[in-house]
Amino acid sequence: MIRTRSVVLKNIKNVAYGKIVFKDGQYGSSITGIYGQNGSGKTAVVDAFSCACTLMRGQKLPPESVELVGPDSDEATIELEFEISKSTSESLGFTRDIGMEIADGMTFWAEYVFAFRKAGEGVALASESVSVKAEGLTRRTLVAYNREEGNAFRPQARWRALRALAGSEAGLDLAFAQRSEERASSSLVFAAALESFAVATRRAYKECSEGTGERKLSHAGQEAYEKTLRPLMDTVTLLRYYAINKLEVFDTTRGAALAFNTFALSAPTSSHTSWAAAGDAVSDGKSHMVDVFLPSDRTAVVPVSVYEELVSTTKVENVVLGSIVPGLSIEIHKLNNETMDNGAPGVRIEVLSCRGTTRIPFHCESEGIKKIVSMLGRLMDVYGDDSACIVIDEADSGVFEFLLGELLEVLADHGKGQLIFTAHNLRALECLPAGCLVFTTVNPRNRYIKFQGSGASNNLRNQYLRAINLGGQKEQVYEPTDELDMNAAFYQACNPQMAGFDELLSKIGASNG
């Protein structure tokens, strides 16, 4: 199992500092709802996961990421801690024990920290680090660098030994990647250049160890490989796998896509391999879920293999969909065979919504139905996969509040994976235990808290509303608003020719004087 255990935000939007710890519930799942008034830092958490997921997948941060840097800082920092259990390799199907030597087969924790800042018209990573720890073992930094310090990898002595072991050619390729301006907005830790360096280093390590090479293995080289590079690349392998196959972020742009008749259906794709492919194979031999984006208001041509997977997937999802929206199912309707632009055989399809014998184009459905269908495959992953994690912004948007509560209760009581969501509808406060809920505060330097004094018998919804009106928590959870002030403001804005109340009183006083 791989599970996100905490996230720390520093200077992300209006969050000067905020930390959220994600704990497992009574039945093994990890459900966390984030609540608070508008503009209080809920979406910042989703943005942080989106940035981390992008980097761990080996992709570039988009230029608009610079907008996440807080107004009072030049640099934003995100810290994520992951728990990686001793059964991870087996549960993921890897053909060898990836990462298990880090803590002699015990569960261990990996921390990934990165900072980014504005660079020209875009964004650039300022620093990165990966460290690991285990019970009874102190935290150990495997790699860290800071661009202002010349991008030199730390611990310096270990990385000097690794460069010497890998050879000058591999070292030069890594150095070039470190200095490349084209890679300024992407991770060096999860880069292909570091993977190639690791493969070259392992090859040299084996040659020296077996006596088949021209060099002898130095003590420094052996220690650097076994205690730094090997655990680093095993950790990176697992985190990359997690980001690609298990972690999915549904931000508001995805909801916007639904409004423009584009939605996603999850379908399996081929297995993922990692850095060890040149030596010990770590392909898990399984297929994994990816999102296939389809237009709902017109037909589309997809590869034959994708069509077959979509048909298979919707059959499974329809079993659950019919229980959420009684009588509803989705059909991937084949119109005809058609050659794709690249010459490959394809199928032209249309997505239909079915109720009994009635079939209509899917785009005629409500936004709530579209959202449920687009998330359903991932929610099923959370139900059945202990490593699956879905992060959803505004999970309640367009979803009937009673249905939302039932979905959350099912996942909390019977699911295995992790769900992190933001919402405004307070129904979840009546359905989930207090430990599953985080509340934003008005203090930017302590942005997220859990409620004090919440027991099993407390109605957390009432407690939250009471805290909004009367306080009572360690931090203020709501910036006060006043109905009379709102009314006066509306009146003044809509009647500009009328004098304000204070001005009117002063005029009356002057005339009486």
Side-chain angles (χ1 to χ4, degrees):
M1 179 184 75
I2 305 177
R3 185 158 288 180
T4 304
R5 284 305 181 198
S6 68
V7 61
V8 176
L9 279 62
K10 298 178 182 178
N11 301 316
I12 301 291
K13 291 185 171 179
N14 61 0
V15 182
Y17 178 86
K19 179 176 182 179
I20 300 177
V21 176
F22 305 105
K23 295 184 177 180
D24 291 345
Q26 180 180 356
Y27 303 103
S29 63
S30 175
I31 310 297
T32 304
I34 306 171
Y35 279 81
Q37 71 187 110
N38 295 327
S40 61
K42 300 187 300 298
T43 298
V45 178
V46 179
D47 292 331
F49 272 97
S50 182
C51 288
C53 188
T54 297
L55 292 175
M56 290 192 295
R57 289 176 177 180
Q59 301 168 349
K60 294 182 178 181
L61 288 178
E64 56 268 24
S65 299
V66 72
E67 298 173 3
L68 301 180
V69 180
D72 299 324
S73 177
D74 296 327
E75 186 173 292
T77 303
I78 297 169
E79 303 175 6
L80 287 146
E81 185 172 69
F82 306 91
E83 179 183 351
I84 303 176
S85 72
K86 62 182 179 181
S87 61
T88 296
S89 294
E90 292 84 356
S91 66
L92 298 181
F94 286 130
T95 57
R96 72 178 179 89
D97 286 340
I98 298 294
M100 294 303 101
E101 83 291 343
I102 294 174
D104 295 326
M106 298 185 298
T107 294
F108 68 97
W109 289 264
E111 184 181 61
Y112 176 48
V113 181
F114 62 94
F116 56 94
R117 58 173 58 199
K118 184 176 181 179
E121 298 298 320
V123 63
L125 284 184
S127 62
E128 278 186 290
S129 69
V130 173
S131 59
V132 293
K133 69 174 182 179
E135 191 171 343
L137 300 174
T138 59
R139 183 175 296 279
R140 178 160 43 117
T141 298
L142 301 178
V143 66
Y145 74 89
N146 189 308
R147 290 191 185 276
E148 290 188 353
E149 299 172 1
N151 276 348
F153 282 175
R154 303 189 303 273
Q156 291 187 9
R158 291 273 173 89
W159 282 93
R160 277 198 300 268
L162 288 171
R163 289 176 187 273
L165 178 60
S168 58
E169 185 175 346
L172 285 173
D173 289 343
L174 181 59
F176 178 78
Q178 289 175 260
R179 293 174 173 81
S180 172
E181 291 298 325
E182 293 183 1
R183 293 202 53 83
S185 61
S186 56
S187 169
L188 286 174
V189 173
F190 292 91
L194 182 58
E195 185 175 325
S196 298
F197 175 84
V199 170
T201 307
R202 181 181 53 197
R203 187 181 299 113
Y205 172 84
K206 287 186 175 182
E207 290 176 353
C208 293
S209 300
E210 297 167 358
T212 57
E214 299 178 355
R215 297 178 296 165
K216 291 185 177 180
L217 182 63
S218 67
H219 174 72
Q222 179 179 359
E223 190 174 66
Y225 178 82
E226 294 176 355
K227 294 186 177 181
T228 297
L229 187 66
R230 175 72 181 272
L232 170 66
M233 296 312 297
D234 285 356
T235 302
V236 166
T237 292
L238 291 169
L239 293 184
R240 182 191 290 119
Y241 177 94
Y242 174 73
I244 293 173
N245 301 298
K246 303 295 183 179
L247 176 61
E248 188 68 30
V249 181
F250 286 70
D251 56 19
T252 52
T253 59
R254 189 164 180 138
L258 289 173
F260 288 95
N261 294 313
T262 298
F263 77 107
L265 282 174
S266 298
T269 186
S270 58
S271 61
H272 173 65
T273 57
S274 69
W275 78 290
D280 301 314
V282 297
S283 171
D284 64 2
K286 297 180 180 179
S287 60
H288 310 288
M289 303 303 289
V290 296
D291 288 330
V292 179
F293 288 88
L294 298 171
S296 61
D297 59 342
R298 61 184 186 278
T299 64
V301 180
V302 298
V304 173
S305 60
V306 172
Y307 164 72
E308 293 171 349
E309 294 293 356
L310 286 174
V311 170
S312 176
T313 298
T314 52
K315 285 182 180 179
V316 177
E317 291 187 2
N318 279 335
V319 175
V320 180
L321 181 60
S323 69
I324 296 174
V325 185
L328 177 66
S329 63
I330 299 300
E331 178 186 343
I332 306 298
H333 178 56
K334 178 180 178 180
L335 297 173
N336 55 266
N337 294 322
E338 190 169 322
T339 302
M340 300 186 66
D341 291 343
N342 61 2
V347 178
R348 182 168 290 278
I349 62 172
E350 181 181 19
V351 184
L352 300 177
S353 176
C354 307
R355 285 180 172 84
T357 58
T358 302
R359 301 155 80 218
I360 62 173
F362 184 66
H363 73 88
C364 296
E365 290 289 355
S366 68
E367 295 300 315
I369 294 293
K370 293 176 184 176
K371 183 166 186 174
I372 289 171
V373 171
S374 71
M375 295 190 303
L376 188 54
R378 298 296 181 174
L379 292 176
M380 290 169 64
D381 286 345
V382 171
Y383 184 90
D385 186 345
D386 59 7
S387 290
C389 178
I390 180 172
V391 184
I392 309 175
D393 197 14
E394 299 185 6
D396 57 334
S397 176
V399 181
F400 182 48
E401 67 169 351
F402 188 79
L403 174 59
L404 175 66
E406 288 187 313
L407 283 171
L408 293 175
E409 285 184 310
V410 167
L411 293 174
D413 293 346
H414 305 286
K416 297 179 180 179
Q418 188 167 23
L419 170 65
I420 301 164
F421 68 94
T422 74
H424 298 96
N425 189 298
L426 302 185
R427 171 64 177 164
L429 277 62
E430 300 174 324
C431 303
L432 296 177
C436 293
L437 296 159
V438 172
F439 299 89
T440 61
T441 76
V442 302
N443 181 1
R445 285 171 288 280
N446 185 25
R447 188 56 88 178
Y448 309 106
I449 63 169
K450 293 195 174 183
F451 262 41
Q452 297 175 320
S454 297
S457 60
N458 295 119
N459 185 321
L460 192 56
R461 178 185 180 124
N462 291 340
Q463 190 177 359
Y464 182 51
L465 293 174
R466 187 164 57 249
I468 289 175
N469 290 298
L470 303 175
Q473 294 298 314
K474 60 183 178 181
E475 293 283 358
Q476 183 180 341
V477 298
Y478 191 80
E479 191 73 40
T481 54
D482 186 272
E483 183 181 348
L484 292 176
D485 287 344
M486 286 190 218
N487 182 46
F490 270 107
Y491 182 83
Q492 185 173 353
C494 295
N495 298 276
Q497 73 280 6
M498 301 294 290
F501 186 68
D502 291 339
E503 183 182 350
L504 186 60
L505 285 180
S506 63
K507 288 182 178 180
I508 293 173
S511 62
N512 289 338

